Amino acid sequence: MTTTKRACAEDLLATGPHGRFFGVSQECFDRVWRTLTAPEGNSTTYVTMEIGADRDVYHPIKKLLQEAAAREDLAADLPPEAGRFLSGPSKIPIYSGGLGVLAGDTLKSFADCHIPVVAVSLLYRRGYFSQLVDMNLGQVVWSREWKPEETPGLYLLHQPGRPTEPLTVEVDFHDRDDQPIKAVARLWMKMEVSCNLDFFVPELLLDYDQPQSPDWIRKASHQLYDSSSEASKVIQRRLLGAAVLPAMRALGLTSKTIHLNEQHGVILVLSLISEILHRQLGDNYRQQASDQDILAAAEQAARHVVYTIHTPVKAGHDRFPHALYHGLEHSFLRRILHLLALDEQDSTAYNFTALAMRVNRATNSVSRLHREVTQAQFPQFRERISAITNGVHHLTWISDAKAAAYDTVPELANWRLEPCVFNRAGKALNSKKFRRSFTEAWRQDTSILVAYLNGMLSRHRHQRVSTWIDPPNYLSYLGESEGRLDGQAFTFGFARRFSTYKRADLVFEDLDRLAEILLASRWPVNFIYAGKAHPADEPGKVLIKSIIDIQEELYRKTQGLARLVFVPDYDMSVAKMMVAGCHAWLNSPKRPLEASGTSGMKAAMNGIPNVSIMDGWWVEGYHDGKTGWKFGYEGPVKAELLSENPSELLYREDAASFYEMLPDLLGTFYHPEGLDQYLDRCLNNLILNCPIFNTHRMAAEYVERYQLLLPAEIEERMRKFRALYQSDLDG
């Protein structure tokens, strides 16, 4: 693989009808583009509100150039794009967290597996909010401007044959008299390139911040999940969904299947229904169509849609008052919404999850337990709801040190291309050489993480006198020697969106009980926390503040044995350090409200055990305790358990279960003879979970839903992944 990359480093420039692109050969570009634009429509369009794929975490093109630069054999005549890859900005801040990172991981695996897919999302010029955290104020929200024009790997598309004229699409909103209001978007493209640089998935990003668009459209497009008003949220969803077909037409894309990654872009089904009726009834279809015609057209539209639902949590399902659509949506489209999207609990609102559930040919949950929950929530669609358990892109999340360790195992040969080979690594459990290699890699990763955190604490300590921000960590108020983390101490990692049902503060419910456990055996423990609360989520922001407020009391009650650190402005690079460098990944949601969760999968890829409530993917990944520890309620899923009421979040019961489990966990780690058993759990993650919880396997399951006709070699590879694990088959 490396030899191939080096040989073609000077040939990674391609020209298409809409631009010039660096990262794949002309042959590769032409081959992929022909498939995506072929009349057969043998491809899929993947619609997602956010995509997380920062270049400082994983980027095969940048890595190739860095290796070539280190050898000083870069050709002098490489195009300017190559230099920009080495020196330009690394962040593309158009994701908020798990959903976007999952989308990025999914598209990377589609590229690696040579699956013909194109993605559509929005380009947010103010990205997602940046987070400051103050000891007294808690989370402070601010916007960081970024410039796509300066970001390597983002290309502004142009009209064919007219390089100075940007390619644009138009989306019609409508005033109260049904007169059109045009929103104009320029199209950008990012290429998700395969690890061998021999395939790519185009990501189309719609940029509505254009002079031709009304100011209120431009404003709504600036920031991901703009919560300044309900109207902004409605507008943003429409900017995504209504532009899917125009963007495809502008580029000649012919996908017969459209995959909705959550319901944010579901407005596209209104476009599908309208086009079907237009073909059937002519230009006067809005006046001619009966309700029965609309419902029949919806059934036809459904044949083209695959839908993934990601959460049972009420806040994750878009519900909007009818009144908001007067002055935004044409009266005919409001009529379709009345027929297909009325909320059962609130007749004055549209429910976009209900609309997505109704208009599709296949719906999937994101874990086996989530399938059970979703079927209970939507019993009328029970037979259509299947499970495709999430995964993560192993090449993105496995650390460099762990990758080097995996390279020493003959049974893991070719693991970068075939993550399923981890199931052949059973001998590694008994290989002293590999156990030493893995342990050393783990120490390296822990050292990197702890050095980063101690550096952060030191910077905050010095910034106290130069900024208005009071650092969010008690350790920054101690001296340099006292206010540090010890890399030898057992380290929990916890990083995810701060929402009340995720119960970030659960393990601190009874500080006296926790202190008693640690003091009894003098066990030092680090708790590393990170994550953002949505700007409109006041309870989530309170949760962040509670973590900060606990720090000093925890430190004093445990005589400094327990040290709790909060990492502000969490992103993918911090996440990668945490999932590789901690000693256990902590997850404490209220069962069954975590549909899947993927951060624990990233830890498992690095051989890090999970310590988790039996919710989401962990029900499948626990393997009778071979891969980590469990605690908390794990009984039957009941309707009342879906409540997010603070009084029903089971803090006392599940915290007590954690404290009962903790001595066994820490005793295993700290006891000289127990450490070997702990290492067994680490390595069992590689053997039992790496082959399953990766996006290559997940992509193979989606390919079956997409009904794509693939070349025999690729189809055989997909069958192999599906044979290894099928999410919808329990046991």
Side-chain angles (χ1 to χ4, degrees):
M1 183 172 68
T2 304
T3 303
T4 303
K5 283 186 179 181
R6 290 176 181 172
C8 66
E10 292 79 22
D11 301 318
L12 299 179
L13 188 65
T15 301
H18 304 286
R20 171 171 139 140
F21 312 97
F22 182 77
V24 297
S25 68
Q26 188 67 55
E27 182 278 331
C28 172
F29 184 91
D30 291 343
R31 171 168 38 87
V32 172
W33 206 255
R34 277 197 304 271
T35 301
L36 296 175
T37 56
E40 297 81 11
N42 188 43
S43 62
T44 295
T45 296
Y46 182 93
V47 181
T48 182
M49 196 73 168
E50 50 176 306
I51 301 175
D54 281 344
R55 295 170 52 250
D56 58 352
V57 177
Y58 171 80
H59 203 291
I61 302 171
K62 184 177 179 180
K63 184 177 181 181
L64 165 68
L65 294 174
Q66 287 172 331
E67 291 173 350
R71 297 190 310 272
E72 298 182 350
D73 63 356
L74 273 178
D77 59 348
L78 278 180
E81 290 90 340
R84 294 178 66 226
F85 266 94
L86 289 171
S87 60
S90 294
K91 303 295 184 185
I92 304 176
I94 55 173
Y95 67 96
S96 70
L99 182 70
V101 174
L102 173 69
D105 280 10
T106 303
L107 298 173
K108 292 171 197 172
S109 279
F110 283 143
D112 288 340
C113 296
H114 293 202
I115 307 303
V117 173
V118 58
V120 179
S121 190
L122 298 179
L123 188 145
Y124 311 92
R125 286 189 169 264
R126 293 185 185 172
Y128 193 55
F129 78 91
S130 294
Q131 181 197 53
L132 292 172
V133 182
D134 180 273
M135 177 66 79
N136 301 303
L137 301 176
Q139 176 173 286
V140 179
V141 172
W142 64 291
S143 294
R144 177 188 286 130
E145 294 281 350
W146 71 293
K147 296 181 179 179
E149 296 84 357
E150 299 177 359
T151 304
L154 284 183
Y155 303 95
L156 181 63
L157 302 183
H158 61 67
Q159 297 285 355
R162 290 174 280 175
T164 61
E165 188 175 337
L167 183 67
T168 61
V169 297
E170 294 183 352
V171 169
D172 282 345
F173 288 71
H174 291 85
D175 65 19
R176 291 179 178 274
D177 297 319
D178 281 347
Q179 296 304 303
I181 304 169
K182 293 196 178 297
V184 177
R186 295 195 300 180
L187 282 173
W188 294 77
M189 188 169 90
K190 177 180 184 291
M191 296 191 301
E192 216 57 73
V193 178
S194 68
C195 61
N196 274 344
L197 310 186
D198 57 355
F199 199 87
F200 73 97
V201 168
E203 297 168 1
L204 306 177
L205 304 175
L206 298 150
D207 179 7
Y208 284 94
D209 192 12
Q210 308 304 320
Q212 307 97 307
S213 296
D215 287 344
W216 50 275
I217 293 285
R218 298 176 69 174
K219 182 177 183 297
S221 74
H222 283 164
Q223 192 165 65
L224 173 61
Y225 300 131
D226 179 0
S227 59
S228 58
S229 69
E230 282 292 282
S232 291
K233 292 164 67 176
V234 167
I235 294 165
Q236 202 169 81
R237 271 56 167 181
R238 194 170 201 289
L239 292 176
L240 175 63
V244 173
L245 295 184
M248 291 174 64
R249 305 278 160 69
L251 291 166
L253 303 170
T254 56
S255 305
K256 289 184 178 178
T257 294
I258 298 176
H259 182 174
L260 289 176
N261 184 45
E262 259 305 352
Q263 33 67 31
H264 301 119
V266 72
I267 284 293
L268 84 88
V269 305
L270 305 187
S271 302
L272 289 172
I273 291 168
S274 295
E275 289 194 354
I276 291 168
L277 291 171
H278 192 184
R279 289 196 300 269
Q280 292 176 344
L281 303 175
D283 292 343
N284 205 30
Y285 71 94
R286 290 169 176 161
Q287 291 74 35
Q288 294 292 325
S290 66
D291 287 356
Q292 193 57 44
D293 290 331
I294 293 171
L295 294 174
E299 290 299 314
Q300 291 185 50
R303 298 170 194 164
H304 299 281
V305 178
V306 171
Y307 168 49
T308 299
I309 182 170
H310 285 272
T311 180
V313 176
K314 186 175 182 180
H317 300 162
D318 285 337
R319 294 175 172 85
F320 298 120
H322 300 169
L324 282 176
Y325 285 83
H326 291 269
L328 292 179
E329 196 74 272
H330 192 282
S331 57
F332 180 72
L333 298 183
R334 298 202 307 272
R335 181 182 166 198
I336 298 176
L337 288 172
H338 266 74
L339 284 171
L340 299 173
L342 286 182
D343 189 89
E344 292 183 359
Q345 281 76 46
D346 182 359
S347 61
T348 67
Y350 298 130
N351 184 324
F352 277 14
T353 299
L355 176 59
M357 275 287 181
R358 183 163 188 173
V359 186
N360 70 77
R361 71 168 187 251
T363 299
N364 72 275
S365 60
V366 288
S367 72
R368 289 174 175 173
L369 183 62
H370 183 224
R371 175 190 59 197
E372 183 181 342
V373 174
T374 306
Q375 288 174 340
Q377 287 184 305
F378 300 94
Q380 66 273 42
F381 305 114
R382 181 181 182 86
E383 296 305 315
R384 191 190 299 167
I385 299 167
S386 62
I388 297 180
T389 302
N390 283 338
V392 298
H393 186 245
H394 64 294
L395 296 177
T396 295
W397 296 107
I398 291 173
S399 73
D400 290 344
K402 300 283 175 41
Y406 301 163
D407 285 339
T408 67
V409 182
E411 292 86 357
L412 295 184
N414 208 36
W415 65 266
R416 288 173 174 82
L417 293 178
E418 303 287 342
C420 57
V421 303
F422 279 99
N423 71 344
R424 301 203 305 255
K427 291 182 181 179
L429 272 177
N430 300 313
S431 165
K432 291 182 179 179
K433 180 181 177 182
F434 177 66
R435 291 169 83 91
R436 284 196 301 270
S437 176
F438 176 85
T439 302
E440 178 55 33
W442 191 7
R443 287 180 182 140
Q444 289 181 42
D445 288 332
T446 301
S447 178
I448 291 169
L449 173 63
V450 171
Y452 173 83
L453 296 171
N454 282 332
M456 178 196 74
L457 292 169
S458 182
R459 287 194 306 274
H460 288 175
R461 193 172 291 120
H462 295 296
Q463 287 170 1
R464 286 178 59 198
V465 296
S466 60
T467 73
W468 61 270
I469 292 290
D470 287 322
N473 288 297
Y474 173 69
L475 294 181
S476 291
Y477 295 82
L478 303 178
E480 285 281 354
S481 59
E482 187 183 2
R484 296 175 60 79
L485 297 175
D486 179 1
Q488 301 298 313
F490 185 89
T491 300
F492 281 110
F494 181 103
R496 52 186 51 85
R497 180 168 58 90
F498 268 66
S499 182
T500 51
Y501 79 88
K502 293 179 183 287
R503 303 185 304 183
D505 57 347
L506 176 80
V507 301
F508 308 117
E509 173 71 2
D510 187 342
L511 291 184
D512 291 328
R513 177 88 181 275
L514 178 57
E516 179 184 349
I517 294 169
L518 301 184
L519 288 168
S521 298
R522 305 301 300 177
W523 284 326
V525 176
N526 299 323
F527 294 93
I528 313 304
Y529 273 60
K532 297 178 178 180
H534 188 280
D537 185 0
E538 293 303 325
K541 287 187 278 187
V542 169
L543 200 52
I544 290 177
K545 185 65 167 63
S546 74
I547 292 295
I548 297 168
D549 291 343
I550 286 167
Q551 292 175 333
E552 181 176 1
E553 185 181 3
L554 176 66
Y555 182 89
R556 294 190 183 282
K557 285 192 171 183
T558 63
Q559 300 174 15
L561 288 172
R563 299 179 177 221
L564 170 58
V565 171
F566 188 91
V567 186
D569 214 23
Y570 172 65
D571 66 5
M572 289 178 69
S573 62
V574 174
K576 186 166 184 175
M577 280 190 290
M578 289 181 64
V579 297
C582 64
H583 296 113
W585 196 254
L586 180 61
N587 191 29
S588 50
K590 180 192 175 185
R591 173 184 163 106
L593 295 179
E594 175 121 294
S596 175
T598 52
S599 60
M601 300 176 186
K602 296 160 191 166
M605 292 285 165
N606 288 282
I608 303 301
N610 274 254
V611 177
S612 179
I613 296 286
M614 291 292 277
D615 200 7
W617 81 280
W618 186 232
V619 176
E620 298 164 60
Y622 177 64
H623 300 287
D624 297 321
K626 294 177 183 177
T627 55
W629 284 261
K630 66 177 180 178
F631 65 97
Y633 175 81
E634 56 177 307
V637 173
K638 302 175 183 177
E640 57 267 25
L641 291 174
L642 296 176
S643 171
E644 298 169 65
N645 188 302
S647 65
E648 300 177 72
L649 287 179
L650 303 179
Y651 264 77
R652 182 174 55 82
E653 300 90 337
D654 285 355
S657 177
F658 175 80
Y659 300 136
E660 290 171 9
M661 173 275 302
L662 188 59
D664 176 60
L665 168 66
L666 295 179
T668 302
F669 179 83
Y670 278 115
H671 195 283
E673 295 179 6
L675 186 56
D676 221 37
Q677 298 175 24
Y678 200 93
L679 197 57
D680 285 346
R681 281 182 165 94
C682 297
L683 299 182
N684 272 323
N685 267 299
L686 307 183
I687 298 163
L688 298 173
N689 285 334
C690 286
I692 296 174
F693 299 106
N694 63 80
T695 39
H696 283 31
R697 183 274 309 159
M698 190 186 77
E701 294 200 66
Y702 276 122
V703 162
E704 198 169 41
R705 304 295 199 280
Y706 294 165
Q707 301 173 358
L708 296 177
L709 298 175
L710 300 173
E713 180 183 355
I714 297 171
E715 180 55 42
E716 177 57 32
R717 192 179 180 206
M718 296 299 98
R719 276 198 296 268
K720 181 170 66 175
F721 287 143
R722 288 195 295 268
L724 190 66
Y725 189 78
Q726 292 183 307
S727 303
D728 218 38
L729 298 178
D730 294 344

